[in-house]
Amino acid sequence: MSASAHGTTPHYFVPQPSRHPAFAAFGLFFLFFGLANWINGADWGVYSFAFGLLWLFGVLFQWFRDSIRESEGGQYGRKIELSFRWSMSWFIFSEVMFFGAFFTALWWMRAHSVPELGGIDNSLLWPDFKAIWPSRGVGATASPAGIIEPFQTMTPFWLPTINTALLLSSGVTLTIAHHALRENHRGRTIAFMWLTVLLGLVFLFVQGYEYFHAYSDLNLKLTSGAYGSTFFMLTGFHGFHVFIGMLMLLFITLRLMKGHFTADKHFGFEGAAWYWHFVDVVWLGLYILVYWL
Amino acid sequence: MSAVLDPHGHAPGDHAHDDHHDHAPAGWRRWVYATNHKDIGTLYLLFAFFMLMFGGVLALLIRAELFQPGLQIVNPELFNQLTTMHGLIMVFGAIMPAFVGFANWMIPLQIGAPDMAFARMNNFSFWLMVPAGIMLLGSFFMPGGAPAAGWTLYAPLTLQMGPSMDAGIFAMHILGASSIMGSINIIVTILNMRAPGMTLMKMPMFAWTWLITAYLLIAVMPVLAGAITMTLTDRHFGTVFFNPAGGGDPVMYQHIFWFFGHPEVYIMILPAFGIVSQVVPAFARKRLFGYASMVYATSSIAILSFIVWAHHMFTTGMPVTGQLFFMYATMLIAVPTAVKIFNWIATMWQGSMTFETPMLFAVGFIFVFTMGGFTGLILAMAPIDLLLQDTYYVVAHFHYVLVAGSLYAMFAGVYYWMPKWTGVMYVESRGKIHFWWTLIAFNVTFFPMHFLGLAGMPRRYADYPMQFADFNAIASVGAFAFGIAQVYFFFFVVLPCMRGKGEPAPQRPWNDPDGKGAEGLEWEVPSPAPFHTFETPPRLDATATRILDTRVQPERKEAVHVAPEAPKAA
Amino acid sequence: VQDLPGGPAVRQLNLHEAATRIAVEISWLHWFMLITCIVIFIAVFSVMFYSIWKHRKSVGHKPANFHESVTVEVIWTIIPFLIVIGMALPATKVLVASKDTSNADLTIKATGYQWKWGYDYLSGEGQGVSFLSTLDSTHREISNDGAKGADIPTDYLLKVDNPMVVPVNKKIRIITTANDVIHAWGIPAFGVKQDAIPGFVRDTWFRSEKTGDFYGQCYELCGKEHAYMPIHVKVLSAADYSKWVDGEKKKMAAKQDDPTKVWTMTDIVARGEKVYANNCAACHQANGKGAGPIKALDGSPIVLAADKSQEIAIVLNGKGAMPAWKQLSDTDLAAVISYTKNTWSNKTEQLVQPAEVLAQRGK
Ligand code: HEA
Ligand code: HEA
Ligand code: CUA
Ligand SMILES: [Cu+2]
């Protein structure tokens, strides 16, 4: 911390006591407790889950409204902005580790457990199983115990490739929007932001269609053994992140339309953009490791 | 505490320049809506203490059942639930939150920051623990009882658990989110909010160890979340991550879990190292020896912790090269830990030591933790571990490092900073009773477990062969004695201080008239620490342990029971 | 209580008496580590306590000012490093030796079930022998009754119905695997412990230099009866071992049930009662009422169903927490199903024949 920062922002903004955190936690209880019971067949669970979700959204809405108000009210000095930068970077890092767990699962199953199950030692237990990746053959060779219905794998063409193009171009449009914002062309910024959101949305639709295709035409399901598990876990988790990122961008766009952010102070925008690029990079990893290799 | 029970926020108007926190809410709102790092720290500490009691009661049920062979109190099913929940609650509910509580209280004070970087998120981190805690504790009442697969939640046993397993998994997700937010908060606070002049290499050791711990947390909590998410989908949605029948592998779970789990155990010890590094110099009246090498050693431990995880898996059967690698890497951790132990002793060397309770717990920590470290080293030898893995030797090892390590350091920290928190001095003789009682009962409880383990008694056993009876009986007696010591601590040390009963604490309770003793910015503010501190960054002297400009820290009316520099005879 | 030879001794302080070379080496390693650590411990803490004694304020010691020295830091980084290397070297040797499972005289597969062990002699003398090894059920009852009284057997919780039998001085390779969840097979006196992982095989080995009985227990949490699946290995001289193998072969031939045999109700229910006590009662309870998540059999719609294949399917393949019981013979399965259908309040008068189980096995 330098002395000049000291001079410019004597106060680090510390918010008023707030009911939002505790209220959000209250909602989360119903959300997760409901969910845990719902997936175990308790019908009331879904109501608890829905209540928790709505409640949480309500709280988050107010919470964000308050911080946006503070931000626009000029309460957030330079230091706070720096804090936001640090925190967003480390949050993204934690997300990288989260994805890391699932990529590890993919690697382990491909490079380790499936070959070992089909290996010479394990022929004692699974004499008929041949280790092939993706293990999608008919009958006994698809999985050690023969419990997996035959299925076809998802090829990179064309849906995933289209999606790659969509995400990459959304990165470009986002960057254009950012440059426009910095040059204070707000109209252009907003237009390109909408375009980015739209690209994200189309991505999600294409992915939805891809899943539909997988289930109905390829017989590729979450239950399709090692391949199905990792395929849907990785792409699904990523899709969820696209959804979140898309929401972030949407709200940023709406804020832009309300006149928020300035040419040189717009971390809300940048944070969302960082997140979007992160989602983008993860997709490239997926595209190569899940679809191509 | 600067107020636990009496809400002396601060009188409006005594602070014209910061209008925005004049209305510290009173009553329950003060706590539920808290954005003040001290209040949130208090909440964390109380939550953790409650969980320690709860987890401790579970431990006592375990020990009561194991008091003699045969089943007397619980059935084997409930026994496994007790073991599992004891581990989970102690690790995630007691030790981790307690250290976060310390971080909340002390880091802003130690680095001269007005608060944590994100005060509302800070409160969110705390309140997230409440639903998670309810889900964990409540799982005992769900159909089929609490999860019973061990705190490590190994697949495929988790796949056989009832609905409470899912509640447990979600609880861990929430706790993970809480930890990640908490860590980000700590990192940002430390990196961004230090007072001018407080360079990283002048920062108090406690802040340093937490900075490193926070990095460990954000790196591994998501990995745990990934592992239990896969458990969840395996349980309910037909994936086969851990199911060999479909091409998965139960051992994969263990790899992912321990990639989290091993750094996790250092998450539970590094802040403890930090506290000890504050306490020892204060009572040796000498600066911490080898500050820089302490920082490097802590970082090395953290980095090494990522490449040793499979020492928990020596018996799963891995290639000999793997075993050798993990054995060597694990043993290597003894080196930076050695550096830390030696530096503490060198700090004591040629000091002018007094032994108030914090120092007793710190010295007790060094002594007993090292025993735990040595048994760790013995376990790290793969061939020996083949005999000791999953026996009571491991149980002895980790209680030596966790109870005599993390918990002792926490006691040291509580005694050390309690005067600052509450403005009240605890009664020294009671602290001493608590220490000696704890030390003896601890060793009575856990020392015999080494013998049990060497003789082959497996852990997580509800009943055992007759030959193990005597040591088990001793351990059980010790456990109850240990528990009573903690009840004593609560009622005779903590509660009086929180109620404000007792001798008022001076601003610098641990300093001699000549100024020798505790150092650091937390001693530059009155006792109890005012609700708001360092609202404008203080100007520091060259060592960054003293404030030059007293104007920024005016004395408070409510803190005048003792003159600020009033020396305390030691 | 008395010491149990080959098992734990009363108030035993150290590792078991070694019966294999590896165990001797491990025990040496352990002493080596213990002594080294104690020496370091004493050295380090004598310094600390000396300082605590001498450099007290109450004896008027004034604090010195030094607080860093790169030299000593380097020294006390390097010395522990060297010590650690000194520890790692002998450990490496023992470890490598303990992993070499090649050239075994006898290979036995140990399969962990909830909660018993299955042994299949795969190669070497005795090939083809196969049996299950379960805790003596009276010990389980003693445990439930609180293990009171003075007459608790010395091998309490370690006695099994069928111990694994091996010849002395022969290299025995144990292949471990499991049927349901992870278990761990180990015998302290042999210096072996190996997890048994469902769906995968792992191996370990030992060569016992002593005859006698050796005991171990399941070392990996495997559910509620984890404490009740001991391991008992009987080491015999070569001649005795051959005799045992002969006897075992004869017994197996005699026991070999003809799956086409048609049983009468009383016979099959009587047999089923035993099968139930050995396998099912641990969870479903002797009264068939289940407990907690364990379903009751008494009055269960599946047990009472006129369609017998429902119960046969669940017993064969398992469901949820219910493990698969394929490893039992057709006759045993038919017997236990018939038993459940005709005991407690269940009075279906239905009789399941081994042939029906056999017919459903393939499906
Ligand atoms: C606070 C927590 C904590 C800490 C700090 C440690 C520290 C260490 N642990 Fe421990 N450990 C646990 C918590 C912890 N552990 C837990 C909870 C488990 C069980 C989990 C479960 O299965 O449920 C476990 C299990 C565990 C195992 C697996 C055992 C098994 O399941 O079979 C192993 C094996 O290598 C191990 C090793 C070590 C080592 C080498 C250290 C080292 O870091 C110790 C280093 C310290 C010293 C060595 C002492 C001080 C040094 C000197 C005085 C210098 C001189 C010394 C030399 C030169 C030798 N630990
Ligand atoms: C992280 C910290 C931590 C702490 C602090 C403790 C504290 C204690 N633990 Fe531990 N323990 C673990 C972490 C911890 N534990 C873990 C991770 C496991 C592994 C779990 C697994 O296998 O999955 C474990 C497992 C474990 C076992 C092995 C269980 C088994 O394998 O079956 C045992 C057995 O003795 C045990 C005992 C104790 C005891 C007696 C205490 C005592 O120190 C507790 C003292 C506290 C109190 C007693 C509470 C205070 C008292 C009251 C509230 C009033 C009532 C009391 C009286 C009237 C006397 N623990
Ligand atoms: Cu089988 Cu524990
Ligand atoms: Cu570890």
Side-chain angles (χ1 to χ4, degrees):
Chain A
M1 183 203 230
S2 67
S4 74
H6 180 196
T8 49
T9 42
H11 291 264
Y12 189 95
F13 172 73
V14 178
Q16 291 278 11
S18 160
R19 66 167 187 272
H20 304 322
F23 278 38
F26 177 80
L28 274 168
F29 174 75
F30 288 94
L31 194 162
F32 279 113
F33 193 65
L35 189 57
N37 282 282
W38 184 23
I39 58 180
N40 282 289
D43 292 331
W44 58 268
V46 63
Y47 299 110
S48 168
F49 172 76
F51 167 75
L53 198 65
L54 286 176
W55 177 278
L56 184 68
F57 277 143
V59 175
L60 287 184
F61 179 77
Q62 297 179 21
W63 190 337
F64 283 125
R65 190 195 53 199
D66 283 3
S67 26
I68 289 167
R69 228 175 250 161
E70 288 158 6
S71 170
E72 292 301 312
Q75 309 252 46
Y76 291 177
R78 268 208 131 63
K79 292 235 88 178
I80 294 251
E81 182 157 333
L82 196 58
S83 289
F84 281 133
R85 281 173 197 278
W86 279 115
S87 61
M88 194 67 193
S89 335
W90 290 112
F91 169 63
I92 290 177
F93 172 72
S94 78
E95 292 271 53
V96 170
M97 295 305 290
F98 208 152
F99 272 101
F102 297 127
F103 276 110
T104 304
L106 172 65
W107 169 76
W108 184 269
M109 286 166 118
R110 279 195 67 159
H112 202 92
S113 67
V114 168
E116 198 179 326
L117 283 163
I120 178 89
D121 290 339
N122 278 289
S123 59
L124 193 63
L125 302 176
W126 316 109
D128 302 329
F129 179 58
K130 280 181 210 53
I132 308 163
W133 185 275
S135 43
R136 56 150 185 257
V138 185
T141 56
S143 66
I147 54 170
I148 307 298
E149 293 172 37
F151 62 89
Q152 283 169 283
T153 56
M154 187 61 72
T155 50
F157 299 106
W158 281 99
L159 297 177
T161 305
I162 294 173
N163 262 347
T164 311
L166 285 172
L167 270 195
L168 287 180
S169 29
S170 77
V172 175
T173 54
L174 185 60
T175 307
I176 296 176
H178 192 193
H179 279 284
L181 180 59
R182 279 211 293 230
E183 285 149 27
N184 226 350
H185 300 305
R186 296 187 69 91
R188 185 158 8 124
T189 310
I190 292 169
F192 273 91
M193 282 303 285
W194 277 116
L195 194 56
T196 315
V197 172
L198 195 70
L199 286 168
L201 213 53
V202 176
F203 175 95
L204 286 173
F205 273 110
V206 174
Q207 191 171 34
Y209 178 71
E210 180 193 351
Y211 279 13
F212 172 73
H213 169 63
Y215 266 76
S216 55
D217 302 333
L218 305 179
N219 200 28
L220 169 59
K221 300 179 176 162
L222 197 53
T223 48
S224 297
Y227 183 87
S229 303
T230 49
F231 174 82
F232 283 105
M233 184 60 105
L234 276 162
T235 56
F237 196 57
H238 175 264
F240 177 69
H241 279 75
V242 173
F243 178 68
I244 299 290
M246 197 264 309
L247 284 186
M248 286 187 190
L249 292 177
L250 178 66
F251 285 114
I252 296 294
T253 313
L254 294 176
R255 284 183 63 190
L256 279 164
M257 291 173 72
K258 285 184 80 181
H260 293 180
F261 303 122
T262 63
D264 47 24
K265 201 158 172 296
H266 48 257
F267 181 72
F269 181 104
E270 285 173 314
W274 288 356
Y275 195 78
W276 192 252
H277 289 307
F278 151 71
V279 170
D280 216 354
V281 171
V282 172
W283 174 260
L284 291 180
L286 280 179
Y287 185 58
I288 295 167
L289 293 172
V290 175
Y291 293 102
W292 276 99
L293 296 181
Chain B
M1 312 209 138
S2 100
V4 168
L5 297 180
D6 69 319
H8 73 55
H10 55 183
D14 76 338
H15 228 63
H17 62 276
D18 49 5
D19 47 278
H20 56 277
H21 26 47
D22 269 340
H23 331 281
W28 60 271
R29 281 194 189 79
R30 166 161 180 207
W31 303 102
V32 178
Y33 295 175
T35 43
N36 178 287
H37 71 102
K38 302 184 185 80
D39 282 359
I40 296 173
T42 304
L43 286 171
Y44 263 111
L45 287 168
L46 291 178
F47 178 88
F49 197 79
F50 171 76
M51 290 304 234
L52 179 75
M53 293 288 125
F54 195 91
V57 170
L58 300 185
L60 291 184
L61 285 171
I62 295 175
R63 283 315 327 164
E65 175 54 57
L66 295 177
F67 178 64
Q68 56 185 40
L71 300 173
Q72 289 87 23
I73 298 175
V74 297
N75 58 32
E77 221 170 313
L78 182 56
F79 183 88
N80 290 346
Q81 298 174 18
L82 294 175
T83 301
T84 305
M85 297 310 287
H86 164 67
L88 285 176
I89 286 175
M90 285 300 194
V91 169
F92 293 101
I95 304 289
M96 289 170 68
F99 279 135
V100 181
F102 274 100
N104 259 301
W105 251 103
M106 299 321 299
I107 287 177
L109 278 180
Q110 289 194 321
I111 64 172
D115 205 299
M116 297 293 281
F118 304 104
R120 266 186 306 239
M121 187 167 89
N122 197 15
N123 194 27
F124 194 35
S125 304
F126 171 76
W127 280 100
L128 278 181
M129 306 217 310
V130 175
I134 295 174
M135 274 157 77
L136 277 179
L137 305 191
S139 65
F140 276 107
F141 305 102
M142 290 177 75
W151 84 280
T152 49
L153 303 176
Y154 276 7
L157 191 55
T158 40
L159 307 187
Q160 294 184 350
M161 297 288 128
S164 67
M165 191 68 240
D166 303 302
I169 286 175
F170 288 134
M172 310 276 279
H173 277 130
I174 299 179
L175 289 174
S178 154
S179 288
I180 290 170
M181 283 192 270
S183 308
I184 289 177
N185 228 329
I186 288 169
I187 292 176
V188 172
T189 306
I190 293 180
L191 292 186
N192 196 25
M193 295 175 68
R194 278 167 290 128
M198 175 69 73
T199 63
L200 279 178
M201 289 310 272
K202 284 182 184 160
M203 208 163 61
M205 261 326 275
F206 179 68
W208 251 117
T209 53
W210 244 114
L211 179 64
I212 293 166
T213 305
Y215 279 115
L216 285 180
L217 274 167
I218 51 174
V220 300
M221 289 311 291
V223 177
L224 171 70
I228 56 180
T229 304
M230 289 187 265
T231 304
L232 187 79
T233 58
D234 269 18
R235 279 169 57 79
H236 290 287
F237 306 112
T239 56
V240 296
F241 289 105
F242 309 129
N243 179 1
D249 185 354
V251 176
M252 177 169 87
Y253 175 84
Q254 299 184 19
H255 280 292
I256 300 178
F257 178 85
W258 286 116
F259 181 83
F260 148 81
H262 187 82
E264 167 71 16
V265 307
Y266 291 116
I267 286 165
M268 291 187 282
I269 203 67
L270 293 186
F273 288 167
I275 294 176
V276 171
S277 303
Q278 304 283 163
V279 171
V280 170
F283 295 89
R285 292 168 180 74
K286 200 164 145 268
R287 271 175 68 192
L288 181 67
F289 187 87
Y291 173 90
S293 73
M294 286 300 235
V295 172
Y296 300 139
T298 312
S299 320
S300 320
I301 294 176
I303 292 164
L304 282 174
S305 77
F306 286 107
I307 54 162
V308 301
W309 75 87
H311 65 218
H312 296 273
M313 302 168 57
F314 282 143
T315 60
T316 54
M318 60 178 111
V320 67
T321 42
Q323 287 189 332
L324 288 175
F325 172 80
F326 286 109
M327 176 169 94
Y328 297 151
T330 306
M331 297 181 72
L332 216 52
I333 295 195
V335 177
T337 318
V339 171
K340 299 200 73 108
I341 305 266
F342 297 153
N343 278 329
W344 286 323
I345 294 179
T347 308
M348 289 152 84
W349 188 256
Q350 296 280 344
S352 170
M353 277 181 275
T354 52
F355 295 92
E356 289 87 347
T357 314
M359 183 64 163
L360 286 178
F361 270 107
V363 173
F365 168 96
I366 300 174
F367 188 72
V368 193
F369 170 82
T370 301
M371 294 167 64
F374 281 140
T375 55
L377 208 59
I378 290 176
L379 288 169
M381 307 273 273
I384 305 182
D385 185 63
L386 290 187
L387 281 185
L388 299 180
Q389 138 77 206
D390 262 318
T391 67
Y392 263 77
Y393 197 88
V394 179
V395 177
H397 157 65
F398 67 71
H399 285 92
Y400 265 79
V401 283
L402 278 170
V403 179
S406 315
L407 199 60
Y408 274 28
M410 270 185 244
F411 287 141
V414 168
Y415 283 104
Y416 183 59
W417 283 311
M418 184 94 87
K420 186 59 58 192
W421 295 343
T422 63
V424 174
M425 276 314 276
Y426 64 89
V427 182
E428 191 57 54
S429 56
R430 293 182 183 173
K432 293 218 158 85
I433 292 175
H434 175 225
F435 169 74
W436 287 107
W437 189 352
T438 300
L439 184 77
I440 294 168
F442 168 78
N443 283 290
V444 172
T445 312
F446 294 105
F447 201 77
M449 291 187 188
H450 293 111
F451 301 133
L452 288 172
L454 288 167
M457 176 166 160
R459 55 193 282 214
R460 298 163 171 169
Y461 261 31
D463 192 7
Y464 49 84
M466 299 302 286
Q467 288 81 0
F468 299 133
D470 293 354
F471 287 135
N472 268 302
I474 297 173
S476 295
V477 171
F480 278 83
F482 187 91
I484 294 169
Q486 307 330 315
V487 177
Y488 175 84
F489 169 67
F490 185 73
F491 283 105
F492 292 90
V493 178
V494 178
L495 216 53
C497 287
M498 281 173 56
R499 286 223 186 96
K501 298 228 167 79
E503 225 183 295
Q507 174 172 344
R508 300 173 184 281
W510 309 123
N511 292 63
D512 294 344
D514 61 2
K516 287 247 158 35
E519 287 191 342
L521 298 186
E522 70 261 41
W523 309 110
E524 302 287 298
V525 303
S527 300
F531 197 63
H532 293 289
T533 38
F534 303 127
E535 282 157 308
T536 34
R539 275 177 44 220
L540 307 180
D541 75 351
T543 62
T545 57
R546 286 278 181 161
I547 294 176
L548 295 176
D549 184 355
T550 44
R551 270 180 306 110
V552 294
Q553 287 304 309
E555 283 309 321
R556 296 281 157 118
K557 288 189 278 304
E558 68 267 42
V560 292
H561 2 254
V562 173
E565 291 291 334
K568 176 190 170 280
Chain C
V1 268
Q2 281 145 22
D3 298 354
L4 177 67
V10 180
R11 289 186 290 277
Q12 178 179 334
L13 297 180
N14 204 341
L15 298 170
H16 286 238
E17 198 191 322
T20 66
R21 287 245 36 94
I22 294 287
V24 172
E25 299 273 345
I26 293 178
S27 152
W28 180 86
L29 261 186
H30 179 248
W31 272 118
F32 162 71
M33 285 297 286
L34 197 60
I35 293 168
T36 321
C37 289
I38 289 175
V39 169
I40 302 176
F41 193 82
I42 292 175
V44 170
F45 287 99
S46 343
V47 177
M48 187 177 92
F49 284 113
Y50 174 85
S51 167
I52 286 179
W53 191 247
K54 286 286 174 193
H55 307 149
R56 273 176 303 156
K57 190 177 175 204
S58 51
V59 296
H61 198 274
K62 292 269 170 300
N65 234 336
F66 63 86
H67 56 79
E68 66 192 340
S69 156
V70 178
T71 328
V72 301
E73 300 289 349
V74 171
I75 291 174
W76 66 41
T77 308
I78 290 179
I79 290 181
F81 185 66
L82 294 178
I83 298 178
V84 162
I85 292 179
M87 292 170 163
L89 290 178
T92 306
K93 215 180 82 222
V94 181
L95 183 69
V96 172
S98 75
K99 294 291 284 187
D100 176 16
T101 55
S102 58
N103 299 320
D105 300 308
L106 205 65
T107 303
I108 304 173
K109 183 171 98 176
T111 309
Y113 298 97
Q114 280 172 324
W115 290 274
K116 62 173 71 56
W117 289 97
Y119 296 113
D120 297 277
Y121 287 59
L122 295 183
S123 68
E125 185 181 3
Q127 187 175 355
V129 172
S130 141
F131 52 87
L132 290 173
S133 174
T134 317
L135 172 71
D136 188 315
S137 57
T138 59
H139 287 207
R140 186 67 185 79
E141 277 154 30
I142 300 177
S143 179
N144 263 346
D145 296 342
K148 289 191 193 66
D151 52 345
I152 308 294
T154 312
D155 56 0
Y156 173 59
L157 293 188
L158 294 170
K159 183 173 177 204
V160 300
D161 50 1
N162 304 306
M164 173 174 143
V165 179
V166 298
V168 73
N169 279 324
K170 287 272 179 339
K171 183 163 185 176
I172 318 289
R173 175 172 178 234
I174 302 287
I175 294 184
T176 64
T177 184
N179 188 48
D180 29 53
V181 298
I182 304 178
H183 305 262
W185 194 93
I187 299 279
F190 295 165
V192 293
K193 182 179 294 153
Q194 176 57 56
D195 287 2
I197 294 154
F200 289 83
V201 299
R202 290 293 179 349
D203 64 355
T204 182
W205 70 277
F206 63 86
R207 183 199 299 272
S208 176
E209 296 175 349
K210 294 183 185 146
T211 56
D213 295 283
F214 298 94
Y215 300 91
Q217 286 171 292
C218 175
Y219 295 96
E220 184 66 60
L221 178 60
C222 54
K224 70 187 196 53
E225 301 288 302
H226 169 51
Y228 303 104
M229 51 182 294
I231 299 153
H232 176 182
V233 178
K234 209 184 235 331
V235 183
L236 299 179
S237 67
D240 287 348
Y241 178 70
S242 304
K243 237 181 276 160
W244 176 80
V245 170
D246 283 350
E248 205 63 16
K249 289 245 159 100
K250 285 209 197 78
K251 246 200 297 183
M252 281 177 62
K255 256 210 322 223
Q256 191 61 273
D257 290 304
D258 176 5
T260 56
K261 173 174 170 189
V262 178
W263 291 67
T264 68
M265 183 63 107
T266 23
D267 287 352
I268 202 159
V269 168
R271 172 139 180 191
E273 188 169 2
K274 287 202 199 88
V275 180
Y276 186 86
N278 283 342
N279 299 290
C280 318
C283 290
H284 293 289
Q285 309 296 327
N287 60 13
K289 295 261 191 272
I294 308 284
K295 299 240 162 61
L297 299 179
D298 191 10
S300 148
I302 293 177
V303 176
L304 296 177
D307 174 9
K308 294 186 242 175
S309 67
Q310 291 188 17
E311 192 181 352
I312 301 179
I314 291 199
V315 173
L316 270 177
N317 304 321
K319 189 178 174 216
M322 166 84 174
W325 291 95
K326 287 202 263 299
Q327 71 274 15
L328 296 186
S329 73
D330 298 325
T331 310
D332 279 346
L333 290 178
V336 78
I337 296 170
S338 303
Y339 170 73
T340 56
K341 284 179 174 290
N342 295 289
T343 186
W344 313 303
S345 69
N346 300 351
K347 299 279 179 269
T348 61
E349 298 297 322
Q350 295 172 26
L351 196 162
V352 176
Q353 295 292 356
E356 295 173 71
V357 177
L358 180 64
Q360 216 169 313
R361 237 182 224 279
K363 286 187 197 147

